[in-house]
Each structure stands twice: as C-alpha cells, then as structure tokens.
Amino acid sequence: MGSFHLLAILHDHHHHHNPFKLLQLLPILCIISSIPFSASEIQNTQIVEDSRSMILFERFGFVRFGHVSISIKDVSWRSKHPNAELDPSLMGFFLLRESAYGKIFNESEYTDHFCILSSHYVKLLFKFDQLNLNSTYNGTIIVDYPDEYDLVFGNCLPEFEVSMDVHTEMYNMKNGKKDFLSSGLTQLPTLYFIFFIIYSVLFLIWVYICVNQRPTVDKIHLIIGALFIVKALKMICASEDFSFVKRTGTPHGWDVLFYIFSFLKGIMLFTVIILIGTGWSFLKPYLQEREKKVLMIVIPLQVLENIASVVIGESGPALKDWMTWNQLFLLMDIICCCLVFFPIIWSIRSLREASKTDGKAARNLAKLSLFKQFYIVVVGYLYFTRVVVSAIGAIIDYKFKWFIVAVGEGASLAFYLFIFFNFQPKEKNPYFVIDDEEEASAAKELEEDDSFEL
C-alpha cells in the first residue's frame, strides 16, 4: 500500500527531481503499508472528474491461474485546458507487483516522457483506446505468475479529468470454486472463529465467577464481562464476514455488524483500561473531575476513529481522501493510547503519597505493585498491537498475511487474560492483601521506591 503512494509521485519526481519528497514519505509509508483493504473483493467504484496519475483500486494475492475481471462503463473526459489533445492510449488499467515499484521508479528517471502504461514491469489489462463505441469495456485476464498484485488505473494525461464506473472481481480458483479472499487471507474465517470460541468460554467463566462471588462483584466487573461478550461477538461477525466474502465476494451485511461491535469494543476497552487505571470500584467509589475529563475525551475520539475505520474499509484506496482518513484513524488511535496512561500514573502517584501517611504500607505496596504491573502491560499491549504488528505486516510475505491477524489477536487475548486473572471478583483481591508480619519491610520498600516520580 505504501508503494502506491511512492509511485504516485513518480510523475512529479521525474519532472522536478526532488528526492527529498520521497524521503519525507517513508515513515508514513511504513505505517500505512500494513493497513488492510476492504474485505470485499467484488468492488463497485465510481470515479468522478479525477486527474490523478495513479489510482489504486485493490491489492490481491494470487495463486497460479488467478482471475481479474473488470467492467468499465460511462467513461468520460474533461480537459482542464481548451487546447489539450486527448490520446486514450495514454490511459488504462494494469496490474503491478510489489517488487516492480523500485524498477519502475528507476525506469521513470531515465526515460523521456515516461508513461507507466508503457513500462516493461506492468501487466497491462487494457488501454482506453480499446473502449467500445458506447464507452464501455468488459474483460477477464488470468494471472499466470502467483504473487501479490495491485490493480491500478494510470493516467499519463494529467490535464484530463476522468469519470467512470468501475466493477472489479478478483479471485483464485480452488477445487473448481471461486475464492474471493486474497491468498494468505483464506484462513481468516477459521482463525476468527477460534478466537470467538475462546472469548465465549472466557465470558462464561467470568459469569460463573461473578455468580459465585456475588458479594464482591462491583460495577467494573459487569463492564469487564460486557467487554468479553462484545469482543466475542466481534470475532464471530469477522468470521462470518470473511466466510461470505470468500464464497461470494461480498459480506452480505456481516460487515455492518462487525463495525457495530468493533465500535462498542473500542469504547469499552479504553473505558475499562481508564476505570481500572483510576482504581474506580476497587480503590474508590467515584471518579475525580480530571478522570471524568479523560473519559469524555476518549469516548468521542473512539467514535471518530470508528467512523474513519468504516470509511477506510468500505471505500477502498481509490477514494481521493482515503490516505487522509488513514492518517485520521492513526492520529485518533495514538491520542487515545496516550490518554489512557494518565489515570494509571495519577493512581500510582496518589498511592505512593498515601503510603507515607495512612500507615498501611503492605496494603499500599500490593496495590502499587499491581498498578505498576498494569501500567507495563498496557504499554506493552498498545505498543505491540500498534507498532510491532504493523512492522511485521510491512515485511511479511503476502502468503502469510493471516499470521499478522493471529499475532495481533493473540496479543489482545493475552491482555484480556491479564485483566481476567488480576481483576476478577474474589474474596482476597490483590488490592486488599495485607500481611502484618511484612508491614515493616513493606514500609521500608515504599520509602526507598522512587519509581514513577513524574
């Protein structure tokens, strides 16, 4: 995905020779490269008065003899300059392999009047001089060499704006049936279903514990239980979404349910992290004003983040503002991740201050240890799922894209299990463990503890 944006500046770079533009883009490209495309591999895209030299429609991993079907209708042009000459052979669709981007970049540097459609490194589908009399085209090609390809529209006449309706179908043939999931993603329906089973079992065990420990159950335990079931429902919707896409090319409405439960899960996860971080329901029955403000900022940001996620998933990279929506999504996510640390740090500081005055050193030490542990786990979880998983996605072979999902969901499961074991209702909660014999040593340890002096 990042390579597309690299290639999109080829035209400017060729004429203006500005290598710094490429260097400035590299950090963004590394992050964006792992953001997934829409799951649906039957796409209907409307292009309206677009003069971009490159428009990326889809990325798809093919096995041998994969198929690309493309149907174009209602093609029209509009010139920005009255004297511009139209040459339809300088516009068209082609397939491009990831490994070819660098070669095309070099080719553009040393070729006068370079046009991507004439490159040796693209697999041309058709040029617009092959359009029918009524400005339509229908065609299917078979991909002989298995690899991950980008379906791209190239326009070497930047003075012309193009409008058209594009219908694309990309699929592999397996056992005589069409598989509309990219090679490397066909395992996702099964993978998501396994996680659904795990989270469902986790939820049932949580309910069982809450019923058995009814006197110690608090509101936070109910919210955590709701988080488990919402996560499970998100997993089953993802499984059904990809399962329908695999068989039919479209999600049949499961994507709507997936977005709804993703939205609920996102809000509830950050809320749980903040509420646990503040010690609400465990240490104190109320939230302070500053903690309420953090929640009031995070929840609207989660709403914005999920709106961006829907636009990214449903519109596809052909949308003019698709990159902007990606950046908005990443920005909202980063801000939310940063905000959740404040309540945890505030709680650690207040516990350390209280330990000097309330004479309950052992109890405070137990609470403090758990908060520090929680802080480290939250940092590790957010860093791993946001940075490490993206880095793996940028370098892993397309045949193993399912592995990125497995790693990310595995990290999420580990975090949920940490919450499950450390914050479940029980008679002797770690928050309240007091060992009188070690009171003195605990007091001394707290005195010497200078961590989190923020």
Side-chain angles (χ1 to χ4, degrees):
M1 207 171 305
S3 304
F4 162 67
H5 298 287
L6 183 156
L7 195 57
I9 63 167
L10 278 178
H11 184 80
D12 292 335
H13 185 83
H14 179 61
H15 288 286
H16 302 296
H17 301 284
N18 182 6
F20 297 106
K21 183 181 281 190
L22 176 60
L23 294 175
Q24 289 164 359
L25 283 176
L26 285 178
I28 298 173
L29 302 186
C30 291
I31 298 170
I32 298 297
S33 62
S34 64
I35 296 176
F37 288 92
S38 167
S40 175
E41 292 308 339
I42 294 181
Q43 300 275 2
N44 292 293
T45 310
Q46 190 172 36
I47 302 297
V48 180
E49 295 179 353
D50 202 325
S51 61
R52 283 178 290 171
S53 58
M54 305 280 295
I55 302 176
L56 174 63
F57 279 80
E58 291 184 68
R59 170 168 290 181
F60 195 87
F62 290 98
V63 298
R64 199 170 181 203
F65 306 129
H67 288 65
V68 181
S69 294
I70 185 165
S71 175
I72 316 291
K73 66 178 182 178
D74 299 332
V75 180
S76 61
W77 298 271
R78 194 180 77 167
S79 172
K80 296 178 186 176
H81 309 292
N83 298 325
E85 283 189 33
L86 174 65
D87 183 354
S89 68
L90 295 178
M91 297 179 187
F93 281 83
F94 57 89
L95 292 177
L96 189 57
R97 289 162 61 187
E98 182 80 17
S99 58
Y101 281 103
K103 298 172 183 175
I104 292 173
F105 187 85
N106 289 332
E107 190 180 19
S108 71
E109 287 289 279
Y110 300 105
T111 307
D112 290 330
H113 309 295
F114 175 76
C115 179
I116 185 77
L117 295 168
S118 304
S119 172
H120 301 295
Y121 304 107
V122 305
K123 184 176 179 67
L124 190 67
L125 299 180
F126 76 98
K127 295 180 180 180
F128 273 17
D129 57 357
Q130 297 171 253
L131 288 172
N132 298 327
L133 292 174
N134 55 353
S135 295
T136 62
Y137 176 87
N138 287 287
T140 299
I141 70 156
I142 295 175
V143 179
D144 298 323
Y145 189 85
D147 203 344
E148 190 172 45
Y149 290 83
D150 291 344
L151 175 63
V152 185
F153 170 73
N155 176 9
C156 296
L157 296 173
E159 62 272 21
F160 281 90
E161 294 175 336
V162 181
S163 298
M164 57 183 163
D165 290 337
V166 183
H167 175 87
T168 57
E169 295 186 17
M170 305 176 83
Y171 54 90
N172 293 309
M173 296 300 295
K174 290 186 178 177
N175 301 320
K177 295 180 180 178
K178 294 179 180 178
D179 182 350
F180 288 94
L181 280 183
S182 175
S183 176
L185 296 181
T186 57
Q187 300 85 349
L188 288 187
T190 304
L191 186 66
Y192 280 123
F193 187 76
I194 291 170
F195 280 107
F196 162 69
I197 296 294
I198 294 170
Y199 282 109
S200 297
V201 170
L202 209 59
F203 171 72
L204 292 173
I205 296 172
W206 185 265
V207 170
Y208 176 78
I209 292 170
C210 287
V211 169
N212 277 1
Q213 301 288 344
R214 200 172 301 158
T216 57
V217 170
D218 219 322
K219 291 175 185 174
I220 187 71
H221 298 119
L222 302 178
I223 297 173
I224 292 172
L227 173 62
F228 289 153
I229 191 62
V230 166
K231 179 70 175 180
L233 290 170
K234 178 189 172 183
M235 292 293 98
I236 190 62
C237 289
S239 176
E240 288 298 315
D241 184 338
F242 280 97
S243 179
F244 272 100
V245 168
K246 179 173 180 165
R247 300 193 309 269
T248 68
T250 54
H252 291 263
W254 282 99
D255 54 336
V256 177
L257 288 172
F258 172 78
Y259 289 127
I260 290 170
F261 288 117
S262 291
F263 169 67
L264 293 173
K265 190 276 300 179
I267 287 179
M268 293 182 70
L269 176 62
F270 279 100
T271 301
V272 164
I273 292 173
I274 291 169
L275 291 177
I276 290 176
T278 61
W280 178 74
S281 247
F282 288 112
L283 301 179
K284 57 192 179 188
Y286 59 88
L287 293 176
Q288 295 175 353
E289 277 305 310
R290 64 183 182 180
E291 293 160 351
K292 288 179 183 174
K293 285 177 183 174
V294 172
L295 267 176
M296 291 303 103
I297 295 170
V298 166
I299 290 172
L301 285 178
Q302 279 294 301
V303 173
L304 278 174
E305 184 181 327
N306 280 274
I307 290 171
S309 174
V310 172
V311 173
I312 292 166
E314 292 302 301
S315 62
L319 180 73
K320 279 184 182 178
D321 298 322
W322 192 76
M323 185 69 171
T324 305
W325 282 104
N326 270 301
Q327 291 167 335
L328 178 66
F329 174 84
L330 289 168
L331 178 64
M332 297 299 101
D333 197 47
I334 289 167
I335 293 172
C336 287
C337 290
C338 293
L339 283 173
V340 297
F341 295 128
F342 287 103
I344 308 173
I345 293 168
W346 291 335
S347 292
I348 290 170
R349 289 180 66 185
S350 62
L351 275 172
R352 292 192 73 254
E353 288 163 10
S355 68
K356 298 171 184 175
T357 57
D358 66 4
K360 298 175 181 175
R363 176 184 287 184
N364 286 321
L365 182 62
K367 296 172 186 174
L368 195 57
S369 298
L370 188 56
F371 266 103
K372 287 180 180 178
Q373 196 179 2
F374 183 62
Y375 177 84
I376 292 165
V377 169
V378 170
V379 170
Y381 165 67
L382 294 177
Y383 179 80
F384 188 86
T385 52
R386 268 67 179 174
V387 179
V388 176
V389 171
S390 293
I392 294 171
I395 61 172
I396 200 166
D397 188 81
Y398 75 98
K399 295 174 187 174
F400 304 103
K401 292 292 184 184
W402 63 270
F403 180 71
I404 306 165
V405 177
V407 169
E409 289 299 336
S412 294
L413 178 60
F415 181 72
Y416 280 74
L417 287 172
F418 173 83
I419 292 175
F420 180 90
F421 286 112
N422 287 280
F423 300 101
Q424 60 181 268
K426 48 190 171 185
E427 290 174 21
K428 290 188 176 182
N429 194 290
Y431 275 117
F432 306 115
V433 170
I434 301 173
D435 188 340
D436 293 331
E437 294 177 7
E438 295 185 1
E439 180 72 22
S441 63
K444 185 179 179 184
E445 191 173 335
L446 280 168
E447 273 182 35
E448 295 171 354
D449 180 20
D450 60 352
S451 62
F452 288 93
E453 282 286 4
L454 302 172

